[in-house]
Amino acid sequence: MQLLSGFSTWSTEEKLGWVLDEWMKRSGADSCSGVREEMLSWMKSFWHVNAPTQEIFRNFSENNLSNFFLPYGVVPNFLLNDRMYIVPVVTEESSVVAALSKSAKFWAEHGGFHARVLGTEKLGQIHFYSRIPASEMQKVFDAALPALKEAAVPLLSRMKQRGGGITKIDLLDKTTEEPGYYQIRVGFTTADAMGANLINSVLEEMAQALKEFVGCETGSNVDIIMAILSNYTPNCLVESWVSCPALSLTKHTHLGERFVERFLKAVRIAEIDVGRAVTHNKGIYNGIDAVILATGNDFRAVEAQGHAYASSSPESPAGYRSLSKASVDEQGIFHFCLKIPLTLGTVGGITAVHPLAKFSLQLLGNPSAAELMQVVASVGLAQNFAAIQSLITTGIQQGHMRMHIYNMAKQLGASPEEILALRRAIGTDTVTHSRVQYILEEIRARRGKDP
Ligand code: MEV
């Protein structure tokens, strides 16, 4: 087996050329047919027309060949804390934006979304092994603490000016779970930055300082295994909620009074059944990830911390559960709320570099990270409301498949005129792949007969 070496150092043209040669071999394309040249210009057609902008995209990650497009859209009418937002969203999933827009409009007419930040602390961990017994380690740690804090000072000076810094440094004795294993847990606030790079740099400096201090002072060795932030952030938390008289919801769908009753049951099921809870929460992240992507934030971190919280928060002692809750109080008021951890940034990372991420933040009014947390959580709640509403009334396939007509028709090689005719012919009927195929064949047959 021959392995490539130095691939990342090749120019984009060289990488693209090599990949297309491989693609030719693997796809069985005819090497004399000019396909390679066609593919080359096709791959390049996704490059940004403006060379400096393409250069920005190219530098986001290694081994870059081209760009991968996703639709960028907006959700208007998003009323949150008495302020009207236009929320930018990036998603490939049909019907997510339509559902979100419908939910946003409904709630704008019923008091809007409300949100508040409950905490902004992020965590970092230094994992190490030592022969120093647990009975002595706390004393050693206390003595090392000034050196650890000192090591962080140069890196944190700018963050301190912006109101961030270290909130706590604790030693955790893990030796009962694993002989010799200790952990230093560091709390941070990072103002408007997501702060991952800063946190990791501080942790690495502290780890080095710990190693040196313990070596010099005790002659004992500390084996630093790793120093890295934790994506478990139960103290970087935001809460969003909506409420309105339950009676207002009875007019909302054909279910009348049964709507609220069924809605509460749907949420209850997600509180007690893990199979449903995961899907319920996935629906929440359909909305959340769309804003996270549009604003250049880290959706992997946000998903990881959310699902961890769903299985280990004080409200979920029995394991993974729904992140949202619904109830109707004695006054007949319907309440629907979502509490989730979100580590977001509105400065740093790619937020100012990706042209559309920058635009998204401007469209949101250049929010602080705390304000963005409230927007994102409320979008998650709006999406969850929309999903449950569909599920307990028509089922989601009706709206979802209607939005999917274009993709199905495209797969069947339909032209724009055929897609238009297809949409008209389907009307409000149930959409299935076979039905789309059948109607398209009919359209084509009819056209074939036309003079
Ligand atoms: C589909 O992407 C998301 C839903 O399955 C969420 C849910 O079931 O609540 C509709």
Side-chain angles (χ1 to χ4, degrees):
M1 185 170 47
Q2 206 183 345
L3 296 181
L4 266 186
S5 68
F7 183 70
S8 66
T9 62
W10 297 4
S11 71
T12 306
E13 294 275 352
E14 286 168 332
K15 285 178 199 143
L16 198 45
W18 180 81
V19 169
L20 286 178
D21 287 340
E22 290 299 313
W23 176 81
M24 294 285 290
K25 283 185 228 158
R26 289 158 203 233
S27 67
D30 178 357
S31 55
C32 310
S33 64
V35 171
R36 190 183 179 283
E37 281 59 45
E38 264 175 40
M39 285 304 287
L40 186 63
S41 46
W42 180 75
M43 285 294 278
K44 286 186 180 179
S45 72
F46 297 104
W47 289 7
H48 199 278
V49 283
N50 180 280
T53 307
Q54 179 54 31
E55 194 56 14
I56 293 173
F57 292 138
R58 201 176 67 75
N59 280 298
F60 283 150
S61 71
E62 280 194 337
N63 295 351
N64 185 282
L65 304 179
S66 192
N67 303 318
F68 186 100
F69 290 167
L70 285 175
Y72 179 98
V74 290
V75 175
N77 303 318
F78 205 94
L79 185 64
L80 163 63
N81 291 344
D82 296 326
R83 188 170 162 193
M84 195 58 97
Y85 289 88
I86 302 169
V87 181
V89 280
V90 172
T91 178
E92 89 302 344
E93 186 170 330
S94 321
S95 80
V96 160
V97 181
L100 196 48
S101 301
K102 204 168 146 198
S103 174
K105 195 155 178 235
F106 174 82
W107 283 109
E109 289 162 352
H110 292 82
F113 291 85
H114 306 274
R116 67 186 170 132
V117 169
L118 302 171
T120 58
E121 189 187 56
K122 293 154 191 174
L123 294 175
Q125 298 175 310
I126 302 171
H127 306 270
F128 67 97
Y129 279 66
S130 172
R131 290 220 179 87
I132 300 172
S135 56
E136 283 171 40
M137 187 48 103
Q138 187 64 48
K139 265 186 250 134
V140 173
F141 171 73
D142 290 343
L145 203 51
L148 264 60
K149 287 184 180 166
E150 192 56 35
V153 169
L155 289 166
L156 284 172
S157 61
R158 276 185 59 215
M159 181 46 77
K160 270 199 149 167
Q161 283 164 15
R162 283 152 53 192
I166 290 178
T167 53
K168 65 181 179 206
I169 313 181
D170 300 321
L171 172 74
L172 305 185
D173 175 6
K174 298 275 190 180
T175 54
T176 50
E177 290 152 75
E178 164 75 3
Y181 167 43
Y182 297 94
Q183 189 189 112
I184 293 177
R185 191 179 52 186
V186 189
F188 295 87
T189 54
T190 54
D192 288 330
M194 198 264 195
N197 285 329
L198 177 69
I199 293 174
N200 289 336
S201 301
V202 168
L203 292 170
E204 285 184 8
E205 286 298 318
M206 282 184 161
Q208 187 57 28
L210 177 75
K211 195 172 167 169
E212 283 165 16
F213 180 89
V214 175
C216 288
E217 296 294 315
T218 70
S220 193
N221 188 28
V222 159
D223 184 12
I224 306 284
I225 303 298
M226 58 193 153
I228 183 77
L229 67 72
S230 169
N231 285 119
Y232 182 55
T233 54
N235 298 328
C236 191
L237 208 59
V238 56
E239 185 177 33
S240 168
W241 67 96
V242 284
S243 60
C244 72
L247 271 178
S248 311
L249 287 164
T250 59
K251 292 183 212 116
H252 183 49
T253 69
H254 69 273
L255 288 179
E257 278 172 15
R258 287 177 50 236
F259 177 79
V260 173
E261 188 192 313
R262 287 169 67 82
F263 195 100
L264 298 184
K265 283 181 177 162
V267 178
R268 180 75 192 125
I269 292 167
E271 276 170 2
I272 57 172
D273 179 71
V274 65
R276 174 59 203 151
V278 174
T279 319
H280 177 101
N281 291 341
K282 187 271 182 183
I284 293 173
Y285 282 95
N286 273 347
I288 288 184
D289 283 352
V291 190
I292 297 295
L293 275 170
T295 55
N297 273 281
D298 182 343
F299 60 90
R300 286 87 57 209
V302 162
E303 289 259 3
Q305 60 205 207
H307 293 295
Y309 187 74
S311 48
S312 65
S313 79
E315 288 119 46
S316 59
Y320 193 96
R321 50 134 210 131
S322 145
L323 286 161
S324 62
K325 274 186 165 29
S327 61
V328 174
D329 68 19
E330 282 165 6
Q331 280 74 44
I333 304 295
F334 169 80
H335 300 273
F336 188 40
C337 68
L338 172 68
K339 205 195 275 184
I340 41 162
L342 282 172
T343 55
L344 305 182
T346 53
V347 297
I350 63 158
T351 54
V353 189
H354 193 298
L356 280 170
K358 200 169 157 185
F359 175 80
S360 297
L361 290 168
Q362 288 165 348
L363 192 63
L364 287 166
N366 289 318
S368 63
E371 187 181 347
L372 186 62
M373 284 167 79
Q374 296 173 66
V375 172
V376 171
S378 302
V379 167
L381 187 65
Q383 192 77 56
N384 193 210
F385 180 80
I388 298 173
Q389 177 182 319
S390 296
L391 288 166
I392 63 170
T393 53
T394 56
I396 64 150
Q397 284 311 86
Q398 198 183 81
H400 190 75
M401 294 306 277
R402 198 154 303 283
M403 298 297 293
H404 210 51
I405 290 176
Y406 179 85
N407 296 345
M408 289 190 280
K410 263 299 193 201
Q411 271 174 28
L412 295 166
S415 67
E417 295 74 35
E418 285 173 338
I419 295 175
L420 202 67
L422 192 64
R423 282 195 196 283
R424 272 201 210 111
I426 290 180
T428 54
D429 291 357
T430 306
V431 182
T432 62
H433 191 276
S434 52
R435 181 140 180 81
V436 166
Q437 187 166 12
Y438 176 77
I439 295 179
L440 188 62
E441 277 162 16
E442 269 197 332
I443 292 169
R444 286 175 175 164
R446 237 182 289 132
R447 204 188 39 200
K449 281 185 206 144
D450 284 350

